[in-house]
Amino acid sequence: MTTKYKIVLVRHGESEWNKLNLFCGWHDAPLSQTGIAEAHDAGKLLKEKGYTFDVAYTSVLKRAVKTLNIIQEELDLDWIPVHRHYRLNERMYGGLTGLNKAETAKLHGEDKVKIWRRSYAIPPPDVDLDSSEYPGNDRRYKMVDKSLIPRAECLKDTVERVLPYWFDAIVPSILSGQRVIVSAHGNSLRGLVKYLDKIPDDEIVGLNIPTGLPLVYELDEDLKPVKHYYLASEEEVAARVAKVVAQGKSK
């Protein structure tokens, strides 16, 4: 296969809730100081490697939006079009939102928490409809059909939410020859990677996407992956992945 297109995927930098080891999901947590630095480093790395972009896609959650903003600043690309959409949001963690991951692992066991965090088709408990964490109570989703607003999601649900936006919005930009960057979240990007690489349901559990490291996909003319790689050393990728894995362990 011959490379015809490239797309860059970036998981947002560390958020304040990542730092506190809390289930975040659709909660709009800001970037931590580490996350801000990670976003600047991502932008500098992309600039150093000669990357530029014509259009950007992100979620409606500030940790992804601001990661993208910082990358744009580093690349002097504040002017390019940015499309924000809830379909690129993180997985909705339902009733787990706001709970400490390590404490939840102590209470329910690491295996159960791993299922809630990583399994393909088993969602966590639903969030209450009267909760401030239920997206239907958030004005940014006012125009979204209530039937499309989740109370909890497994990764399968997240894939089914993300892929229509991939096909309807992002794919046309790629095929038109535009250079595309997507700033999103661990699970919305895991869902996209699962689709691109045809990862089986039982293997996706072990895939972790680190914060703030650009992930490049080279695609052929049919948008099939030719290869993919992080713009970082193997040691740096491993260290960031280990940090993600540790979040689901009891202390």
Side-chain angles (χ1 to χ4, degrees), residues 1-224:
M1 290 188 292
T2 304
T3 297
K4 183 168 183 179
Y5 306 106
K6 279 186 183 180
I7 182 171
V8 174
L9 311 176
V10 184
R11 182 183 177 186
H12 62 79
E14 180 192 73
S15 74
E16 286 290 347
W17 277 30
N18 289 144
K19 184 173 74 173
L20 295 171
N21 205 19
L22 305 179
F23 287 101
C24 195
W26 285 33
H27 178 83
D28 202 14
L31 291 175
S32 67
Q33 288 303 308
T34 296
I36 292 169
E38 287 176 346
H40 280 290
D41 288 345
K44 289 173 183 173
L45 188 56
L46 286 163
K47 184 174 184 179
E48 176 188 314
K49 298 293 186 181
Y51 284 80
T52 190
F53 303 99
D54 303 302
V55 64
Y57 293 88
T58 188
S59 73
V60 297
L61 299 171
K62 69 179 71 171
R63 57 194 186 272
V65 173
K66 293 196 173 182
T67 295
L68 177 60
N69 289 346
I70 292 169
I71 289 172
Q72 288 176 269
E73 288 174 16
E74 291 289 350
L75 293 171
D76 195 22
L77 292 177
D78 304 78
W79 55 273
I80 66 171
V82 175
H83 302 281
R84 303 178 185 87
H85 205 283
Y86 83 93
R87 286 189 176 273
L88 292 177
N89 277 13
E90 176 59 292
R91 174 183 162 196
M92 173 51 176
Y93 274 109
L96 299 180
T97 305
L99 298 182
N100 181 278
K101 294 174 184 175
E103 291 174 4
T104 305
K106 272 186 185 177
L107 184 62
H108 297 283
E110 289 182 11
D111 289 344
K112 184 68 171 178
V113 171
K114 185 175 183 180
I115 288 171
W116 281 338
R117 292 184 71 213
R118 297 294 176 192
S119 72
Y120 187 61
I122 302 174
D126 283 351
V127 69
D128 291 336
L129 290 173
D130 59 357
S131 169
S132 61
E133 299 296 351
Y134 172 55
N137 298 324
D138 188 325
R139 64 189 286 255
R140 82 190 73 190
Y141 307 111
K142 184 178 179 182
M143 302 307 292
V144 179
D145 188 315
K146 287 282 188 181
S147 68
L148 298 176
I149 296 177
R151 294 180 63 187
E153 290 178 314
C154 57
L155 184 59
K156 180 175 183 289
D157 298 323
T158 309
V159 170
E160 290 172 356
R161 166 165 56 81
V162 170
L163 285 185
Y165 193 68
W166 165 255
F167 288 114
D168 294 345
I170 301 174
V171 163
S173 290
I174 298 171
L175 293 177
S176 73
Q178 292 182 299
R179 293 161 292 188
V180 176
I181 183 169
V182 178
S183 174
H185 304 264
N187 284 294
S188 52
L189 292 177
R190 274 209 309 151
L192 186 52
V193 166
K194 182 185 189 304
Y195 164 75
L196 288 172
D197 289 334
K198 301 189 185 314
I199 299 173
D201 297 355
D202 59 342
E203 292 182 17
I204 195 64
V205 177
L207 177 70
N208 293 281
I209 295 180
T211 56
L213 292 181
L215 172 58
V216 181
Y217 267 81
E218 297 189 12
L219 308 171
D220 68 14
E221 61 183 8
D222 297 317
L223 299 189
K224 304 297 183 187

